[in-house]
Amino acid sequence: MSMILIAMSFVLMFSAAAPEVSGATGGLLHIPTTNSLAHCIPRCGDVDIFYPFGMGPGCFRQGFGLTCDQSTKHPKLFLGSSTVQVTDMYYAYASTPINIKLATRPGTDTYNMSWEAPSKGITISSDNTLYVVGCDFDFTLFEYGTEEKVCSCMSRCAGEKAATGGPCNGIGCCLILLPRDLQGFQAEHVSTNITATQSDWLHPGIMAVVSRAEYYMYNTTNLFSSWTDASNIDDAMLSVTIMDQPSCQSPQMNNGGYACSNDSSCQNSSSGCGYGCYCSPYEQGNPYILDGCLEDYNPKPKGHCPASCGWQL
């Protein structure tokens, strides 16, 4: 009997010490209510959690489970059981750092890099820009999995130093505006001057950054400093894409599995598969929860209210 008690105590101690996680499988395939989500964990570290993301049974849409790692001083939130960290979140969007650095090697002119979302329901939003820092290279971006070419850019320095605070205009830096949401990407970086790459005046390697910030186009100071301090860079924006149905029309026709609440609108994904849910421009709230869109502003004044001030034609 005493041996059984000892064994039970060991199991309880181990469970209490384990990090708080959520299974990456399972998840809801119906529209929840605010009350049905009341038991769900609302926060991990300094990141608020919003459905369709969540942790624990009944707390997340299929494909949007999260893991909260509390083994460090500051808890960190991750997508599923992956190493993709979530630094911010708001309903249909999440933020994650995408900062890839590669060390160059003598005599090598071609380098490859890639990034893939851990779930089919997560895509890199088309609101992002990919920046590549360095001298004398051609950079080509492909969609992950399909290897379809997305776009390309180049950087030339002509043996001179590019101003670290100047625009990202092809001198020491080039950029690609993402034309659509991407599940991930693969990229080929070809150095056009191996000698210059080995004795890079900027950094001893290659760096690519995906960020939603557009002002890096005009001022690259933070891009250059991110080689040693990535906290200076605004994270990439990830979009929620419902992938268990191919389009807005499909679940409505099949009368099952629809993710959008009764007061929200649906928009097909720019990637060609799946859809997202949105509240109207005059509402705020969560379009993935029943009655989740709240009226925020009505542009039409009430009948007894003045609609103008001052002289009018």
Side-chain angles (χ1 to χ4, degrees):
M1 185 67 178
S2 59
M3 292 297 292
I4 295 175
L5 290 174
I6 292 172
M8 290 177 65
S9 299
F10 177 78
V11 171
L12 290 172
M13 289 172 61
F14 179 80
S15 299
E20 183 181 332
V21 299
S22 172
T25 59
L28 301 179
L29 282 176
H30 63 268
I31 304 171
T33 65
T34 300
N35 289 337
S36 70
L37 298 174
H39 69 286
C40 301
I41 299 170
R43 190 177 181 87
C44 173
D46 59 356
V47 181
D48 292 323
I49 299 172
F50 298 94
Y51 186 87
F53 295 98
M55 293 184 290
C59 291
F60 61 94
R61 177 85 181 184
Q62 181 175 290
F64 298 100
L66 301 171
T67 296
C68 185
D69 184 357
Q70 301 191 46
S71 62
T72 59
K73 182 178 180 181
H74 300 287
K76 294 182 179 181
L77 190 62
F78 297 91
L79 293 175
S81 56
S82 73
T83 58
V84 178
Q85 184 180 357
V86 177
T87 55
D88 195 14
M89 181 180 295
Y90 188 75
Y91 304 130
Y93 298 98
S95 297
T96 188
I98 302 180
N99 191 332
I100 302 174
K101 301 173 185 176
L102 296 177
T104 55
R105 301 180 298 273
T108 301
D109 61 358
T110 302
Y111 301 86
N112 297 295
M113 58 181 69
S114 64
W115 190 93
E116 180 187 14
S119 168
K120 290 184 178 180
I122 307 297
T123 56
I124 305 174
S125 170
S126 58
D127 293 328
N128 293 291
T129 301
L130 187 147
Y131 301 91
V132 191
V133 175
C135 282
D136 302 321
F137 64 80
D138 295 329
F139 188 89
T140 306
L141 186 69
F142 303 91
E143 186 162 7
Y144 193 93
T146 66
E147 297 185 0
E148 178 184 349
K149 182 178 177 180
V150 176
C151 198
S152 60
C153 68
M154 65 176 66
S155 173
R156 300 289 188 269
C157 294
E160 298 180 1
K161 293 184 179 181
T164 58
C168 187
N169 59 358
I171 303 175
C173 175
C174 75
L175 60 84
I176 294 175
L177 300 172
L178 299 189
R180 60 181 183 276
D181 293 354
L182 298 175
Q183 177 70 30
F185 63 83
Q186 296 167 281
E188 183 181 70
H189 182 290
V190 179
S191 299
T192 58
N193 187 336
I194 299 178
T195 303
T197 301
Q198 292 175 6
S199 57
D200 183 13
W201 56 266
L202 184 60
H203 304 299
I206 300 162
M207 183 176 67
V209 173
V210 179
S211 175
R212 63 175 174 266
E214 295 184 357
Y215 54 80
Y216 301 140
M217 298 180 189
Y218 314 105
N219 189 325
T220 57
T221 300
N222 285 357
L223 281 178
F224 292 129
S225 64
S226 68
W227 186 268
T228 55
D229 185 3
S231 64
N232 291 329
I233 293 293
D234 289 347
D235 292 336
M237 179 183 289
L238 304 179
S239 296
V240 169
T241 304
I242 304 302
M243 298 290 287
D244 50 72
Q245 296 286 346
S247 67
C248 296
Q249 293 74 27
S250 180
Q252 296 180 63
M253 292 174 62
N254 297 331
N255 195 28
Y258 192 46
C260 300
S261 69
N262 55 320
D263 55 354
S264 67
S265 59
C266 182
Q267 182 176 328
N268 290 328
S269 171
S270 65
S271 64
C273 184
Y275 63 89
C277 307
Y278 304 92
C279 295
S280 77
Y282 305 113
E283 294 177 323
Q284 61 180 359
N286 192 333
Y288 294 95
I289 298 176
L290 192 66
D291 298 320
C293 292
L294 307 175
E295 185 174 339
D296 182 41
Y297 169 67
N298 186 352
K300 297 181 180 180
K302 294 182 179 179
H304 67 281
C305 300
S308 62
C309 175
W311 179 83
Q312 287 187 329
L313 289 175

